[in-house]
Amino acid sequence: MTKSVEYFFSIGSPWSHIGFDAFTELAAKNDVVVTPYLTTVVEENGGIFSRNRPEIRRAYWTRDLKRWARVRGKELRLEHRPELSDPTPASLFVIAAYLDGQDWIGIARALQHAFWSEARDIGKADIREAIVTAAGFDGAALLRRQADDDVQNKWSADRVHARDSGVFGFPSYVYDGELYWGQDNLPFLERHLHGDRP
């Protein structure tokens, strides 16, 4: 029987990048239909942007990211990053692709890799258009779509749904009413998919 998982993530979250392939592989293996929701840290639910954390926590966060990146086989460029603009607008490309029945997973993967592994400025429209075009997608069409009402409405609605679902950080997964926060919780999600509900 097909199972459905709500997937909450942020292009600007390194944890979303690190756990992305592990989750999509888990979903494919377990016949899961994924509904993506893109937003940013939900502060009203207790989410905290890394820039607002004490330095000692930021230092640990950086070490933990590097450990998990190695486990997941991901490259992270955390040091000596250039000044980059807000990557949030790249979410609109992913939303447009999803609404149009395109490969939103491939587009999200390309954008996250560019931002986190190559420190490319995906907040700039021309750069993200070039990135997805190089990955084999129609970047010009996605750029045109990002301002459309249905894309903008889903972007707004995704945040409300994340807030109302109790999401505060990324990535988060909701299956059968159960919330799992963090890519390190994927084993628990998979157990639940196999009938072991906590």
Side-chain angles (χ1 to χ4, degrees):
M1 188 176 75
T2 301
K3 306 172 182 72
S4 179
V5 171
E6 295 184 329
Y7 174 45
F8 299 85
F9 73 110
S10 169
I11 296 291
S13 160
W15 294 111
S16 293
H17 169 57
I18 287 172
F20 191 80
D21 291 338
F23 171 61
T24 56
E25 289 164 12
L26 181 156
K29 183 174 73 172
N30 291 281
D31 193 26
V32 168
V33 173
V34 178
T35 303
Y37 296 92
L38 289 99
T39 186
T40 58
V41 171
V42 187
E43 292 181 287
E44 52 266 57
N45 284 351
I48 303 172
F49 284 97
S50 62
R51 63 179 176 267
N52 296 330
R53 293 176 179 152
E55 185 53 42
I56 196 163
R57 273 201 67 186
R58 283 177 53 80
Y60 181 84
W61 177 80
T62 299
R63 293 299 304 153
D64 209 30
L65 279 170
K66 290 177 178 179
R67 286 192 287 257
W68 271 107
R70 290 186 67 175
V71 167
R72 298 293 192 200
K74 295 277 190 171
E75 277 187 61
L76 275 185
R77 184 175 167 189
L78 297 176
E79 283 88 17
H80 311 298
R81 286 173 69 84
E83 191 76 25
L84 301 177
S85 55
D86 180 5
T88 299
S91 304
L92 302 173
F93 272 33
V94 180
I95 290 172
Y98 171 73
L99 291 174
D100 293 345
Q102 297 182 40
D103 179 14
W104 65 268
I105 290 174
I107 290 167
R109 180 181 292 117
L111 290 167
Q112 289 182 120
H113 175 80
F115 187 71
W116 288 110
S117 299
E118 300 174 344
R120 295 181 67 185
D121 199 347
I122 64 172
K124 293 183 177 175
D126 58 330
I127 293 177
R128 63 178 174 272
E129 178 186 355
I131 289 164
V132 299
T133 299
F137 303 100
D138 189 343
L142 290 170
L143 185 61
R144 288 192 299 271
R145 281 282 282 132
Q146 68 180 11
D148 290 347
D149 287 347
D150 59 338
V151 175
Q152 292 291 327
N153 289 341
K154 178 166 167 52
W155 169 247
S156 299
D158 281 6
R159 180 168 192 80
V160 173
H161 186 55
R163 183 198 66 202
D164 293 349
S165 299
V167 171
F168 48 88
F170 307 108
S172 288
Y173 321 90
V174 174
Y175 172 63
D176 193 23
E178 191 75 23
L179 173 68
Y180 297 90
W181 169 48
Q183 58 87 36
D184 53 331
N185 267 267
L186 286 173
F188 298 123
L189 171 61
E190 186 161 34
R191 289 175 67 92
H192 190 170
L193 290 168
H194 287 251
D196 181 14
R197 178 171 184 156

